[in-house]
Amino acid sequence: MSFSGFIVQLLNGLASASSLFLVAAGLSLIFGVTRIVNFAHGSFFMVGIYVAYTLVDRLGGGMGFWPALVLAALAVGVLGALIEIVLLRRIYKAPELFQLLATFALVLVIKDAVLWLWGPDELLGPRAPGLAGSVSILGRQFPSYDLFLIVVGPVVLGLVWMLLTRTRFGTLVRAATQDREMVSALGVNQAWLFTAVFALGALLAGLGGALQLPREPATLEMDLNTIGAAFVVVVVGGMGSIPGAYVAALLIAEIKAICIWLGVVDVFGLSVSFSKLTLVVDFLVMAVVLVWRPWGLFGKPQAPSRYVGMQEEPLRRPSKTYLIAAGVFGLVLAAVPLITADSPYTTVLMIDLMIAALFATSLHFIMGPAGMHSFGHAAYFGLGAYGAALLVRASGMPMELALIVAPLVAAIGAFVFGWFAVRLSGVYLAMLTLAFSQITWAITYQWDSFTGGSNGLTGVWPSAWLSDKRAYYWLTLLLVGGGVLWLRRVLFSPFGYTLRAGRDSALRADAIGIDVKRMQWAAFVIAGIAAGLAGALFAFSKGSISPESLSVGKSVDGLVMVLLGGIQTLAGPVVGAVTFTWLHDTVARNTDYWRAMLGGIILLLVLLFPQGIAGFAKQLFDRKRHAEEAAELKEAKA
């Protein structure tokens, strides 16, 4: 750990911060004006580096290198504009979370499009002409191109700042960030303003990707890796603050650089690997910042909202017809292993569908009635799964008892994380849950001696009397059905009514004596118990568990299930979980480009059913019921 090494690592951090800032600045602009949480922004970064690779190859690595980078950024900007016009413009009136679902589907489509065009191999571009060498700094060699990147960040920051403060376009963008409806009322063409902002944000992301061409190879994993880091930077800096995004990018990149410089350090006789912290240091920073300043470093605290949520029909208790239909459906499910005795895979798939339904229902519990958007719900699923596996392997606990204790392990995690999370709202709350989930994943991924590290844990099988998959299927059906019914019963209790009151108007709920935060905290724990049970059932059904059960992808899957089914209906998460899991399994087994096909199906469903599949079915049923009531009233008057 020399001083010269420290300085060089700091300079590396500055170079990395520039590319990260470009992506975060575009994301902040898009969210500030359109209010879209754009999951596809990392895909624009990935497309930028791939297009730059192709253009450099076509134009030559000499004088054509720099024009190729600019053209790549412009091409990504055009792609962003086309996506906004063709897709997003059609769903601006849909709930914001469904727009998130559409951008997630775009991630799947764009990833397979890149796979089809460029193949699965990593592509490393040539060195930048004129900057291919290095310079000596304190006796150490430092790449000249990285010095160029250090300068790029402040230059782009200055140009964006001038655009937003010295031009009419910038004035409109800042006005739209504050009040989109007023900008439209003043005669500004809101549609084209949104298109221009989306194109500019995509261009910045594409430029960030293109500039990385000489530094790292283009890979298909860049999209999700980049979007996670960009979200962190935007939230830490403060939503909508471009200078805040730059400062946050510098802060996170420099802390990572220092961790790499420290390496392995002995602290009181204990070896601590700071280099491993780079996997999660950005989420640690975000968690600390949001606990200290809930609106980010440069963001502004929001005044308590007087908005009363959109009116929804009160939850109705199930009718006799509904109960009979549910009973018949339950009997059919119970008979599935007998009906499909010649197809053992069907039983396995049905177990996966039921576990997914319980996981999605637990997430819906805090997203729908409680109004809290969680991007890290996989933490409780994973805690339940690992809790069950470790209890059986380490302590020799019977599987039956582990199924009871493991959800309590997840409840403890929800108890701790929820205490911090309920003090925030909106995107900040969602990102804090993501931070806690990633911290949990990092601990699990790196604690080899306890959790098995990246290899996970194997040999986690159910008891002998459940060795037959049909017996385990019936146990899963019993526990999942009981869990879903329990969550549903809670929603019809006084506690459930207070949750919805706090969601619809926190000020009014507080005025009548409801402790909204305490109710939301309790909801986190209840949802954590149900998710933990789903995780425990998953561990025993597969016989093993890995860190993937706590990853961002698992949390995103839960979000997709809830939104696909419909967040405003109680049946929505079950319908969405079954639809998504079945589609994922069916499409993945029948085509190499299953992501694109799955993403296309999700996009189609979003466009056709903006309220979700179950929500659309409910609308049809309500229209029919209202038409029948109107006809009966008309006959009575006649």
Side-chain angles (χ1 to χ4, degrees):
M1 292 190 297
S2 63
F3 178 73
S4 60
F6 175 69
I7 296 300
V8 168
Q9 283 298 336
L10 290 182
L11 291 175
N12 277 327
L14 288 175
S16 299
S18 289
S19 293
L20 186 55
F21 163 68
L22 291 176
V23 183
L27 183 63
S28 187
L29 278 173
I30 290 173
F31 178 83
V33 175
T34 67
R35 294 298 187 271
I36 288 180
V37 181
N38 183 23
F39 256 103
H41 205 67
S43 300
F44 295 146
F45 177 89
M46 179 180 69
V47 172
I49 190 170
Y50 273 99
V51 173
Y53 177 88
T54 299
L55 290 176
V56 168
D57 183 60
R58 295 290 189 272
L59 300 178
M63 294 306 296
F65 179 87
W66 299 107
L69 300 190
V70 176
L71 290 174
L74 292 173
V76 176
V78 172
L79 174 64
L82 290 175
I83 288 174
E84 196 278 338
I85 293 171
V86 174
L87 174 64
L88 298 180
R89 189 175 291 184
R90 301 173 184 274
I91 58 174
Y92 277 132
K93 293 184 179 180
E96 292 178 0
L97 286 174
F98 283 92
Q99 298 167 3
L100 181 149
L101 179 59
T103 60
F104 169 73
L106 280 174
V107 171
L108 300 177
V109 174
I110 293 174
K111 183 185 287 287
D112 267 4
V114 171
L115 174 62
W116 180 67
L117 289 170
W118 284 280
D121 298 331
E122 295 183 351
L123 303 178
L124 181 61
R127 293 186 177 184
L131 297 174
S134 61
V135 297
S136 179
I137 299 178
L138 298 178
R140 290 176 178 265
Q141 297 300 311
F142 188 78
S144 302
Y145 186 77
D146 284 9
L147 288 176
F148 165 74
L149 286 182
I150 292 174
V151 176
V152 167
V155 169
V156 173
L157 172 62
L159 292 175
V160 173
W161 180 82
M162 291 181 63
L163 176 67
L164 295 179
T165 58
R166 302 296 178 86
T167 66
R168 183 175 183 271
F169 173 76
T171 302
L172 294 177
V173 169
R174 287 184 288 115
T177 302
Q178 299 297 322
D179 193 332
R180 292 181 296 173
E181 287 72 19
M182 182 59 69
V183 170
S184 179
L186 292 175
V188 176
N189 190 325
Q190 193 179 69
W192 287 111
L193 177 64
F194 282 13
T195 302
V197 169
F198 203 90
L200 176 60
L203 184 148
L204 289 173
L207 179 61
L211 289 173
Q212 288 297 103
L213 184 62
R215 298 188 79 218
E216 60 179 308
T219 68
L220 293 171
E221 304 303 320
M222 280 183 157
D223 50 359
L224 292 181
N225 292 338
T226 303
I227 191 59
F231 272 131
V232 170
V233 169
V234 170
V235 170
V236 169
M239 298 296 293
S241 173
I242 302 299
Y246 184 71
V247 171
L250 284 178
L251 175 66
I252 291 171
E254 293 297 1
I255 291 177
K256 282 189 174 183
I258 292 173
C259 287
I260 295 173
W261 173 70
L262 288 173
V264 180
V265 179
D266 289 332
V267 181
F268 301 110
L270 180 66
S271 294
V272 178
S273 178
F274 282 92
S275 57
K276 289 185 177 181
L277 283 177
T278 55
L279 288 174
V280 73
V281 68
D282 43 359
F283 292 97
L284 281 170
V285 171
M286 181 170 69
V288 171
V289 169
L290 290 183
V291 171
W292 170 51
R293 285 179 64 87
W295 49 87
L297 294 176
F298 286 76
K300 297 180 180 179
Q302 296 180 344
S305 175
R306 299 180 181 275
Y307 170 72
V308 178
M310 293 179 62
Q311 291 186 356
E312 297 181 17
E313 287 191 29
L315 294 178
R316 295 193 300 269
R317 293 188 178 276
S319 62
K320 288 185 178 181
T321 304
Y322 186 92
L323 291 174
I324 293 173
V328 172
F329 182 65
L331 292 175
V332 171
L333 286 178
V336 165
L338 302 176
I339 299 172
T340 61
D342 296 333
S343 177
Y345 179 73
T346 302
T347 302
V348 174
L349 177 59
M350 289 299 296
I351 292 174
D352 290 344
L353 293 177
M354 289 188 292
I355 292 173
L358 180 57
F359 175 58
T361 303
S362 67
L363 177 57
H364 173 269
F365 184 82
I366 56 175
M367 285 186 65
M372 296 181 291
H373 304 150
S374 173
F375 286 1
H377 202 63
Y380 317 122
F381 182 90
L383 286 173
Y386 269 95
L390 291 169
L391 287 170
V392 170
R393 283 172 53 96
S395 66
M397 181 179 292
M399 172 259 188
E400 295 82 0
L401 183 57
L403 280 176
I404 298 175
V405 179
L408 300 180
V409 175
I412 294 173
F415 182 85
V416 175
F417 298 161
W419 189 86
F420 295 99
V422 297
R423 282 154 176 74
L424 307 179
S425 60
V427 175
Y428 293 106
L429 183 151
M431 293 307 297
L432 184 59
T433 61
L434 176 61
F436 285 139
S437 179
Q438 281 298 97
I439 293 170
T440 307
W441 169 84
I443 294 172
T444 304
Y445 188 82
Q446 298 183 43
W447 199 352
D448 295 336
S449 61
F450 187 62
T451 65
S454 59
N455 294 322
L457 300 171
T458 58
V460 188
W461 297 108
S463 300
W465 66 279
L466 293 170
S467 57
D468 186 346
K469 275 296 180 183
R470 293 181 298 176
Y472 192 80
Y473 171 92
W474 285 315
L475 175 67
T476 302
L477 175 61
L478 178 64
L479 293 179
V480 168
V484 172
L485 290 175
W486 174 57
L487 292 175
R488 184 185 180 95
R489 186 173 181 83
V490 170
L491 292 180
F492 285 105
S493 68
F495 174 78
Y497 289 109
T498 60
L499 272 184
R500 292 195 291 281
R503 174 200 65 187
D504 294 337
S505 179
L507 289 178
R508 290 185 179 182
D510 183 67
I512 61 175
I514 296 175
D515 190 338
V516 176
K517 299 302 180 186
R518 187 163 63 89
M519 294 296 103
Q520 291 176 335
W521 189 16
F524 255 95
V525 176
I526 293 172
I529 292 173
L533 176 59
L537 289 170
F538 178 81
F540 289 118
S541 71
K542 301 302 179 185
S544 63
I545 191 66
S546 71
E548 292 299 317
S549 61
L550 298 106
S551 66
V552 175
K554 185 67 177 180
S555 294
V556 172
D557 286 349
L559 279 170
V560 172
M561 293 173 192
V562 172
L563 298 177
L564 196 58
I567 198 171
Q568 296 180 353
T569 60
L570 295 181
V574 176
V575 173
V578 171
T579 302
F580 178 76
T581 307
W582 178 79
L583 282 174
H584 189 288
D585 177 80
T586 303
V587 173
R589 285 190 291 113
N590 288 283
T591 176
D592 292 333
Y593 299 101
W594 61 269
R595 295 182 190 86
M597 185 172 292
L598 180 62
I601 293 172
I602 293 175
L603 283 174
L604 184 63
L605 292 174
V606 168
L607 292 173
L608 294 177
F609 313 121
Q611 299 299 324
I613 298 173
F616 177 75
K618 181 177 180 296
Q619 285 182 343
L620 292 180
F621 178 79
D622 289 343
R623 288 175 185 173
K624 181 180 178 181
R625 180 168 57 84
H626 292 155
E628 291 176 351
E629 291 175 353
E632 291 176 359
L633 181 61
K634 185 177 181 180
E635 290 179 2
K637 289 182 177 180

